[in-house]
Amino acid sequence: MHPRRPDGFDGLGYRGGARDEQGFAGAFPARSFSSTSDLSHWVTTPPDIPGSRNLHWGEKSPPYGVPAPSTPLEGPAEEPFAGGSGGSMPGQSSEQLNRFAGFGIGLASLFTENVLAHPCIVLRRQCQVNYHARHYHLTPFTVINIMYSINKTQGPRALWKGMGSTFIVQGVTLGAEGIISEFTPLPREISHKWNPKQIGEHLLLKSLTYIVAMPFYSASLIETVQSEIIRDNTGILECVKEGIGRVIGMGVPHSKRLLPLLSLIFPTVLHGVLHYIISSIIQKIVLLILKRKTYNSHLAESTSPVQSMLDAYFPELIANFAASLCSDVILYPLETVLHRLHIQGTRTIIDNTDLGYEVLPINTQYEGMRDCVNTIRQEEGMLGFYKGFGAVVIQYTLHAAVLQITKIIYSTLLQNSV
């Protein structure tokens, strides 16, 4: 409920004297507010108090305990509250529903991306590091079959392992980026008036963030691909413990084929920075196209309130979805190489992705990124870089379905409230 008071008047905060009268001259040229007696004709109450009254010019505030006169006020009458003093206006309920629905849409997208799609991430990583595999699982049909076999032999827990560590890696990444940007001049965001120097400093910040999170990413990768058959019941902070141990050279003993962290910096930073650049460009392009399409539709014909509210949330979600999909597809071969380098020498035992049961050890002997690329191309062919790609198809199909279902539910709720 908006109070009906002249623009520029600050209610009981008025003290007279030294005040700019310019705001009042246009609306009230014949009225002066220089005396204290004139102030008594204005009584206002905060508009956010349910049941409050806003008195206007010519009204007197009734004394305490005396009921207000029943003479109707001039001008348009305000609608009463639906439920008494504790009720809410229809516009307020619609606004609350709009905020709640926006929060729900974002939450559903995050839940799908980080929780519901985690089994696809687990199988995708296991296929990527399995150099023994004869079946590459390039289509979603073979991926569903092998997921069913693993779930049947090891239980549902086998497809949800390492989910807590992925959240820890995201937390470490966000925390490291915030701390580095706080103590350095590196910008965390790029302004609209950007220049090459600002972009370079911003990408340097991203690179340093990926370097800090790299040992924890390695520990999280091991947790997600390690077979549940020989897996111990590790705690949620095991990822932090293993990451720190990897840095200081302590913890679980590794083989001599373990690559040092210094040799993993380049592929890790390369993948992270390219993923960020591609996703940012795709997101901006898709968002620009969707906003221009929405603007043209608004000019062509009147848009319903429901469609206007949908246009406030879904373009950004669709842009994020398209950006993540394109960057994952384009960088999938590089991600396969990166995961094989991180997992080498960690004595990790994975599930047999050809059968859905039994386990296999990882005994690769890559000397670096170039040797890994050449070995995969010679021994497994170009399709060897795309092992487990069917899991990506399932992951983003599931994400798109959840977005569409959420949009339908949101539209139904808005139509019932309007």
Side-chain angles (χ1 to χ4, degrees):
M1 182 173 64
H2 300 285
R4 294 179 294 191
R5 69 184 80 177
D7 295 336
F9 182 69
D10 55 357
L12 297 181
Y14 178 79
R15 291 293 180 269
R19 181 180 176 93
D20 185 10
E21 298 292 339
Q22 225 172 5
F24 292 84
F28 302 94
R31 195 76 190 170
S32 174
F33 292 89
S34 59
S35 63
T36 310
S37 60
D38 289 335
L39 183 60
S40 63
H41 291 284
W42 285 88
V43 180
T44 62
T45 53
D48 55 347
I49 299 178
S52 63
R53 302 176 67 246
N54 289 316
L55 303 182
H56 304 281
W57 186 260
E59 294 184 49
K60 297 290 185 180
S61 179
Y64 179 77
V66 178
S70 59
T71 305
L73 299 175
E74 294 181 359
E78 296 182 359
E79 297 180 1
F81 288 100
S85 62
S88 59
M89 297 289 289
Q92 290 178 340
S93 61
S94 177
E95 183 180 356
Q96 291 176 357
L97 177 62
N98 191 16
R99 292 177 180 177
F100 177 76
F103 174 76
I105 291 170
L107 187 62
S109 179
L110 290 176
F111 176 80
T112 305
E113 184 178 354
N114 296 286
V115 179
L116 202 59
H118 190 74
C120 300
I121 297 176
V122 170
L123 190 61
R124 159 184 169 181
R125 291 180 172 182
Q126 283 193 327
C127 292
Q128 285 178 320
V129 300
N130 187 3
Y131 65 96
H132 302 281
R134 299 188 310 272
H135 301 290
Y136 288 7
H137 300 296
L138 302 176
T139 64
F141 307 105
T142 58
V143 171
I144 293 176
N145 184 33
I146 202 67
M147 288 175 69
Y148 173 77
S149 300
I150 293 177
N151 180 75
K152 184 178 179 180
T153 55
Q154 303 181 31
R157 187 177 177 182
L159 298 175
W160 299 91
K161 55 193 175 185
M163 186 173 63
S165 63
T166 58
F167 288 110
I168 291 178
V169 172
Q170 293 181 11
V172 171
T173 303
L174 292 175
E177 182 177 351
I179 294 175
I180 294 175
S181 64
E182 187 72 22
F183 292 95
T184 62
L186 302 179
R188 195 170 186 179
E189 296 180 355
I190 299 178
S191 61
H192 295 288
K193 298 180 180 180
W194 54 270
N195 53 63
K197 179 183 178 182
Q198 188 180 31
I199 293 180
E201 292 176 347
H202 180 67
L203 294 180
L204 177 59
L205 172 64
K206 291 292 182 181
S207 303
L208 295 176
T209 301
Y210 297 138
I211 293 175
V212 173
M214 182 177 61
F216 306 100
Y217 181 84
S218 295
S220 175
L221 176 64
I222 295 174
E223 286 192 19
T224 53
V225 302
Q226 183 90 331
S227 177
E228 192 68 20
I229 297 177
I230 53 93
R231 176 186 171 90
D232 297 330
N233 293 327
T234 57
I236 191 173
L237 296 179
E238 189 70 19
C239 172
V240 179
K241 177 183 176 182
E242 292 295 328
I244 297 175
R246 182 78 179 267
V247 174
I248 63 179
M250 298 179 61
V252 178
H254 303 292
S255 67
K256 295 181 179 180
R257 296 185 301 273
L258 180 69
L259 294 175
L261 290 177
L262 290 177
S263 62
L264 297 177
I265 289 179
F266 176 73
T268 303
V269 172
L270 178 64
H271 176 267
V273 171
L274 288 179
H275 193 282
Y276 175 74
I277 293 175
I278 294 173
S279 60
S280 298
I281 294 175
I282 297 296
Q283 181 183 8
K284 296 294 183 183
I285 294 175
V286 174
L287 200 58
L288 182 63
I289 294 174
L290 292 177
K291 286 186 175 181
R292 181 173 297 179
K293 181 180 178 181
T294 302
Y295 178 74
N296 293 334
S297 64
H298 286 180
L299 292 179
E301 55 184 7
S302 58
T303 308
S304 63
V306 175
Q307 186 62 36
S308 298
M309 292 181 181
L310 291 176
D311 293 339
Y313 292 104
F314 277 93
E316 186 173 353
L317 291 177
I318 295 175
N320 292 335
F321 170 80
S324 181
L325 172 62
C326 293
S327 55
D328 279 354
V329 171
I330 294 174
L331 296 178
Y332 197 88
L334 180 58
E335 185 184 66
T336 299
V337 174
L338 176 66
H339 287 170
R340 292 201 182 187
L341 295 177
H342 273 276
I343 210 73
Q344 176 173 303
T346 58
R347 299 186 179 182
T348 303
I349 298 178
I350 64 172
D351 296 313
N352 190 333
T353 56
D354 289 335
L355 304 175
Y357 56 89
E358 297 182 353
V359 293
L360 296 172
I362 299 296
N363 294 319
T364 56
Q365 298 182 3
Y366 305 122
E367 297 179 359
M369 180 177 176
R370 179 180 298 181
D371 182 51
C372 181
V373 172
N374 294 332
T375 303
I376 294 176
R377 186 174 61 246
Q378 293 173 4
E379 297 182 359
E380 304 172 49
M382 294 302 297
L383 292 180
F385 293 100
Y386 291 91
K387 283 186 174 180
F389 187 79
V392 177
V393 179
I394 298 177
Q395 175 183 346
Y396 285 98
T397 301
L398 186 63
H399 195 176
V402 171
L403 285 179
Q404 186 64 28
I405 294 173
T406 307
K407 184 177 182 180
I408 294 174
I409 296 175
Y410 184 33
S411 301
T412 305
L413 291 175
L414 288 177
Q415 288 175 354
N416 293 335
S417 64
V418 173

